[in-house]
Amino acid sequence: MTTLPLARLPAGWEPAADSLVDRVVLVTGAYGGLGGAVARAASRAGATVVITGKRKRQLEQLYDAMLAEGLSAPVIHPLDMEVATPREYTALAEGLERDFGRLDGIVHAAVSFSGLTPITMHKPDAWLRAMHVNVSAPFALTQACLPLLTQAGDSAVVFVLDDPALLQRAHWGGYGVSKAALERFVAILHEETDASTLRVHAMLPAPMRTALRQLAYFGEDLMQRSPPDAAAAAAVYLLSAQGSPARGAILDLRAG
């Protein structure tokens, strides 16, 4: 069961080239499967994209790939959400204000998942890492950016959830608990910002062809799953002004 209402993407909706024009969007976990797809989709929709992640070389590879695809150059800001301090999140927000004078959206695509593990065998470090990267770090980054986000005429923060019916089953451990906690955080943040220009969204993708999926379902033929492009397009919807009807809800991208 979820604590938030469910919403659906409007039938036939596709991002337009100007859906995010003049907007600055921050993507965490940007070189991951979903994060990279979101960075590309937001750039195609006209946004200035800031990409973060802990491995600078992989951010540079994404930068090069986006340029090779004819997209605008993203802005690289290395950030390790596993060890970043509040001061580093504040420095990121200050850098965005200095360089752009604004921030219009965040997509929290960074995630920590170490595989399916029984509680009796779950390494405490892996548990704490999942809780920190998947819940505490998004809180800290969002909090640091709230002044910029609320100055914008229309802004959005998008948090990525996972199927709650699956995550409450055995062996999902710290990842499952962290995603449940993240949903509650989304609900609280929405209640506190509902009268502001900042929209809070959750997104529940369908199964995607990503490294996380492969780690969780290693016996599955991953090529039978769709790439994360549809979820990336849905993130553009939520970041754009058109996503307003899904405010405070979970955009459910699963079939049916």
Side-chain angles (χ1 to χ4, degrees):
M1 294 293 292
T2 64
T3 58
L4 295 169
L6 298 180
R8 288 286 184 177
L9 197 64
W13 189 88
E14 293 289 342
D18 61 351
S19 294
L20 300 178
V21 70
D22 296 329
R23 298 197 180 212
V24 177
V25 173
L26 174 66
V27 182
T28 74
Y31 50 73
L34 177 59
V38 169
R40 289 175 168 88
S43 182
R44 289 190 201 100
T48 297
V49 181
V50 181
I51 54 175
T52 75
K54 65 181 179 181
R55 298 185 181 92
K56 183 180 179 182
R57 180 61 191 139
Q58 288 183 259
L59 292 172
E60 291 171 343
Q61 289 172 345
L62 174 61
Y63 177 101
D64 292 341
M66 290 176 66
L67 284 187
E69 293 168 26
L71 300 174
S72 298
V75 177
I76 294 177
H77 189 109
L79 182 71
D80 186 348
M81 297 185 75
E82 186 178 336
V83 298
T85 65
R87 181 173 295 179
E88 288 175 274
Y89 293 122
T90 299
L92 172 56
E94 290 174 347
L96 292 170
E97 185 170 24
R98 181 183 62 250
D99 295 341
F100 306 109
R102 63 186 301 150
L103 178 64
D104 304 276
I106 303 176
V107 178
H108 289 285
V111 67
S112 176
F113 175 65
S114 57
L116 299 175
T117 311
I119 294 296
T120 55
M121 300 174 62
H122 208 308
K123 294 180 179 179
D125 285 353
W127 180 283
L128 294 173
R129 186 181 306 113
M131 297 300 293
H132 184 76
V133 174
N134 300 344
V135 187
S136 299
F139 149 74
L141 176 58
T142 302
Q143 184 189 59
C145 292
L146 279 176
L148 267 181
L149 290 164
T150 53
Q151 286 171 23
D154 174 66
S155 60
V157 182
V158 180
F159 299 89
V160 182
L161 303 181
D162 208 330
D163 191 335
L166 291 176
L167 298 189
Q168 63 186 347
R169 297 178 183 175
H171 304 161
W172 282 96
Y175 175 79
V177 173
S178 70
K179 287 298 184 179
L182 184 64
E183 183 181 338
R184 184 56 56 90
F185 172 62
V186 171
I188 293 171
L189 185 60
H190 166 65
E191 288 294 327
E192 295 182 4
T193 58
D194 193 31
S196 76
T197 57
L198 171 63
R199 293 178 280 109
V200 179
H201 299 279
M203 184 171 72
L204 179 51
M208 301 178 292
R209 189 189 307 162
T210 63
L212 190 155
R213 179 79 188 182
Q214 188 169 40
L215 185 59
Y217 300 94
F218 54 87
E220 179 181 77
D221 181 3
L222 199 62
M223 297 308 293
Q224 298 300 313
R225 296 298 182 184
S226 299
D229 299 349
V236 170
Y237 167 73
L238 294 176
L239 291 167
S240 75
Q242 292 173 291
S244 182
R247 182 178 193 149
I250 299 172
L251 187 66
D252 190 353
L253 303 177
R254 299 170 298 173

